[in-house]
Amino acid sequence: MAGSTRIIRYVLFAFFGIMIIYFISSSSNIPKAPLERWKGAKDKNTPAVENPPTGGLGSPVPPSAEKEILAPQPGIAATAPAEALLSLNNSSLGTTKMNATFVTLARNSDLWDIADSIRNVEDRFNRNYHYDWVFLNDKEFDDDFIKVTTALVSGTTHYGTIPKEQWSFPDFIDQDKAKKVREDMAQRKIIYGDSVSYRHMCRFESGFFFRQPLMQNYEWYWRVEPSIKLYCDISFDPFRVMAENKKKYSFVLSLYEYAETIPTIWDSAKKFMEKFPEHIPEGNSLKWLSDDDGKTYNHCHFWSNFEVGNLEWLRSKAYLDFFETLDKDGGFFYERWGDAPVHSIAAGLLLKKEEIHFFDDIAYWHVPFTHCPTSEQKRLENRCHCNPKDNFDWKGYSCTSRWFEMNGMEKPAGYQDQQD
Ligand SMILES: Nc1nc2c(ncn2[C@@H]2O[C@H](COP(=O)(O)OP(=O)(O)OP(=O)(O)O)[C@@H](O)[C@H]2O)c(=O)[nH]1
Ligand SMILES: *[C@@H]1O[C@H](CO)[C@@H](O)[C@H](O)[C@H]1NC(C)=O
Ligand SMILES: *[C@@H]1O[C@H](CO)[C@@H](O)[C@H](O)[C@H]1NC(C)=O
Ligand SMILES: *[C@@H]1O[C@H](CO)[C@@H](O)[C@H](O)[C@H]1NC(C)=O
Ligand SMILES: [Mg+2]
């Protein structure tokens, strides 16, 4: 008796589940016009439903996961045949999501620049996934900022104010010495060299954003800065690609750091390596960071204004020991260490090289550099609108060639044409 009641309940549950999913898909609030255009484009190319474009990993998304990944896309569900709808039955929209969030550090005055970034991220990706977005600020966000960003993000937004002690000089910093450095850097016209707030920002992004109470609720993050652009549809879930391929950190652009901002960062990194050999695994990316077996730093770093990464790694003892060692040496204030070289040296030393992923499929711009996939097929399949000539990957100032070489990865056909 109890058994058959349970079965009836299960059937009813499943039936209403399907109805709800059907209702959500067909009453999608996505405007008609873009959907129609998108559908047209889809028909011309390989149908996205049967043959979703895969990431740069060859096949980052195992076949079993493909349906789930495609499931939350309203555009597909609304026009797909009945079987495709039915395949949603046991993978509710909620359960396909990763434990992940977007994260943005911003000032109230960054509102319209971050609005631009959000629109890009939503149009190219998140409108189909509805991931949350955490906004952090050293001051309280104002109503206007909250109102506009809440309206733009398709997931849930959260707003956090950074505690004073994470956005000020630690007591072990000699303020006079720090001030002299800023005056000197101002004279030498080093970019942001005279800025106090930029230094707080770099230190916060290096050591504290992932420890905010709001960030403790997540395992994965995707960092987004104001005024960035995405140029291709992202038809896979980068968080899932990371998880399923055991990745911890990722990048789209890499380059050489401005040497004057980090004269002694490598001394601190070496001090860390000596003090904590247990945190340095075999098969890391030291070779990408150093051309002389660790004696000196070649200044290569991943550009951290874009990052998809694992928060548990940043919260690990290894990373925290690394940050602590660097922080105590004072270079965030006595020099002008950026969070990009800090994250990059950490990723290069603490992770195995297979744990770092180059997201070729995520075409991206942050002034002044562009990552645009070299492969024309990729650009067409994903409706990219970047000019391949602008691709920075293979130019002299990029470190991405070195990354490919260290990993024995084959560069995409036609890369020579984008070299300068
Ligand atoms: N709350 C807050 N956020 C800041 C502050 N300074 C920078 N940020 C944020 O920190 C991130 C990095 O700052 P940017 O000014 O973009 O630094 P950048 O990318 O090195 O330089 P740009 O070329 O100017 O973009 C961005 O998300 C900014 O919005 C600040 O004083 N307060
Ligand atoms: C539903 O999904 C869960 C979790 O993925 C799985 O364990 C279960 O077997 C599925 N049920 C059916 C009827 O497919
Ligand atoms: C969904 O339902 C269909 C038809 O009943 C079934 O063939 C399929 O296995 C189901 N999928 C899941 C994930 O339960
Ligand atoms: C997401 O990850 C955080 C951090 O590891 C964890 O505390 C939380 O329970 C996770 N949430 C879910 C729904 O798994
Ligand atoms: Mg920026």
Side-chain angles (χ1 to χ4, degrees), residues 288 400-411 415:
W288 186 72
T400 300
S401 268
R402 284 171 174 264
W403 179 258
F404 271 61
E405 283 149 22
M406 181 193 73
N407 285 288
M409 289 157 65
E410 200 181 323
K411 291 177 199 159
Y415 82 92

Side-chain angles (χ1 to χ4, degrees), residues 194-353:
D194 60 343
S195 171
V196 174
S197 69
Y198 193 85
R199 285 183 169 80
H200 290 322
M201 182 276 284
C202 291
R203 181 167 177 264
F204 177 79
E205 292 285 27
S206 297
F208 300 102
F209 84 90
F210 49 86
R211 294 193 250 185
Q212 298 309 294
L214 288 172
M215 297 302 288
Q216 300 286 351
N217 298 327
Y218 304 98
E219 192 184 343
W220 301 94
Y221 74 101
W222 179 335
R223 173 167 164 185
V224 177
E225 284 206 359
S227 299
I228 59 106
K229 290 189 213 297
L230 292 181
Y231 292 110
C232 302
D233 285 352
I234 301 173
S235 51
F236 56 93
D237 182 342
F239 299 120
R240 191 176 283 274
V241 168
M242 296 286 287
E244 287 177 355
N245 295 281
K246 302 194 166 61
K247 306 286 181 184
K248 299 277 192 271
Y249 190 80
S250 67
F251 70 100
V252 289
L253 284 158
S254 72
L255 66 159
Y256 294 97
E257 179 61 304
Y258 194 12
E260 277 91 331
T261 65
I262 49 160
T264 68
I265 199 171
W266 195 251
D267 296 335
S268 292
K270 284 199 286 194
K271 189 197 277 184
F272 167 79
M273 285 190 269
E274 267 163 44
K275 202 166 156 204
F276 296 101
E278 70 272 24
H279 293 329
I280 316 290
E282 294 261 319
N284 66 9
S285 311
L286 178 66
K287 271 212 188 92
W288 186 72
L289 297 168
S290 173
D291 300 338
D292 51 17
D293 229 9
K295 248 188 256 121
T296 60
Y297 180 35
N298 63 20
H299 303 132
C300 278
H301 66 291
F302 307 119
W303 218 24
S304 63
N305 48 65
F306 168 95
E307 288 177 328
V308 177
N310 184 281
L311 292 162
E312 306 293 358
W313 171 56
L314 292 174
R315 292 188 284 246
S316 70
K317 182 162 191 313
Y319 185 85
L320 294 176
D321 284 341
F322 178 78
F323 171 72
E324 192 87 342
T325 305
L326 266 61
D327 194 36
K328 287 276 144 57
D329 285 341
F332 289 108
F333 300 102
Y334 301 145
E335 295 179 3
R336 205 226 64 194
W337 295 352
D339 54 280
V342 173
H343 288 187
S344 303
I345 294 172
L349 298 180
L350 306 178
L351 298 176
K352 295 185 174 176
K353 60 186 195 316

Side-chain angles (χ1 to χ4, degrees), residues 104-107 110 136-139 167 192 197-198 201 205 223-226 305 366-367:
T104 291
L105 173 68
R107 293 155 287 215
D110 291 319
L136 302 171
N137 190 351
D138 56 306
K139 308 236 163 56
W167 198 278
Y192 297 117
S197 69
Y198 193 85
M201 182 276 284
E205 292 285 27
R223 173 167 164 185
V224 177
E225 284 206 359
N305 48 65
H366 175 295
V367 66

Side-chain angles (χ1 to χ4, degrees), residues 130-146:
H130 315 311
Y131 279 109
D132 293 356
W133 205 305
V134 171
F135 294 91
L136 302 171
N137 190 351
D138 56 306
K139 308 236 163 56
E140 245 186 82
F141 282 114
D142 60 33
D143 293 345
D144 213 27
F145 189 100
I146 294 174

